[in-house]
Amino acid sequence: MRRLLTLMCVLSTALLTQCTTAKKTEPEPPPPVPTGPKHVEINLATQHGELVQGECVLFSFPVCTGKRSKPTPTGNFRIIGKERYHESNLYPNSPMPFFMRLTNDGIGMHQGPMRSKPSSHGCIRLHRVTAQRLFKECSVGTRVNIVRREPTPPPAPEEKDKKKH
């Protein structure tokens, strides 16, 4: 019994010593704090958008943009007007909730039907939750950059990684 108690004390001491002398890891630095003005990035090639502040992506979201016959224009725009509820002047019975106007000829971002491929008449359609959040977080004057940037392909595997046949 005495040997068992001695063995248990030795093991306990070893475990405690190991815990206190274990390699201490440095805590990870906190993520960068978003600073500066917010802007929106829309990529027509990937049908993807991001709300960005400084170097931080605040959130990413899918978009549905203009079809080939009515393409969404590329370039740098600013939100020039906002309407909680807007109806199209060109297309009857076309409500556009959370409308954020980008051009004087009717192009904007708004809640609308989402498809897997470009299918709007030039506007940037958004899911309801995304449209609500952008409408809340972006003000008149917020920059919106619309680009067509193809995704970069993954790097080719190195020779040593290739399987021999």
Side-chain angles (χ1 to χ4, degrees):
M1 184 71 168
R2 197 174 208 188
R3 282 185 175 173
L4 183 60
L5 286 174
T6 305
L7 181 61
M8 288 177 69
C9 286
V10 170
L11 287 174
S12 299
T13 304
L15 285 173
L16 286 173
T17 305
Q18 186 179 15
C19 290
T20 58
T21 59
K23 195 177 201 179
K24 293 182 181 178
T25 58
E26 292 293 320
E28 288 189 28
V33 177
T35 59
K38 294 175 185 173
H39 71 277
V40 178
E41 296 278 336
I42 303 292
N43 187 339
L44 302 176
T46 61
Q47 296 291 286
H48 178 83
E50 296 177 334
L51 177 63
V52 180
Q53 186 171 15
E55 299 296 317
C56 300
V57 175
L58 301 179
F59 79 103
S60 299
F61 49 91
V63 298
C64 181
T65 59
K67 56 189 174 182
R68 188 172 292 175
S69 62
K70 301 257 188 193
T72 301
T74 59
N76 298 316
F77 302 89
R78 293 206 180 262
I79 296 174
I80 57 176
K82 291 173 57 176
E83 294 177 60
R84 167 66 186 80
Y85 184 80
H86 176 76
E87 285 201 29
S88 173
N89 300 333
L90 300 174
Y91 306 102
N93 300 317
S94 296
M96 300 175 181
F98 305 105
F99 188 75
M100 293 163 278
R101 183 178 298 278
L102 301 176
T103 69
N104 288 322
D105 58 349
I107 301 296
M109 299 185 295
H110 60 84
Q111 176 185 332
M114 297 293 288
R115 307 265 188 316
S116 59
K117 61 182 182 179
S119 59
S120 80
H121 292 116
C123 282
I124 299 162
R125 294 184 191 161
L126 309 164
H127 285 292
R128 179 180 53 81
V129 172
T130 300
Q132 288 173 330
R133 183 167 178 191
L134 284 178
F135 194 85
K136 179 182 174 187
E137 295 206 28
C138 297
S139 56
V140 171
T142 298
R143 193 176 79 223
V144 178
N145 299 326
I146 304 173
V147 299
R148 180 175 301 282
R149 190 175 308 123
E150 296 296 331
T152 55
E158 294 184 25
E159 286 297 319
K160 65 181 179 183
D161 294 338
K162 290 183 182 175
K163 292 181 180 178
K164 294 183 180 180
H165 293 271

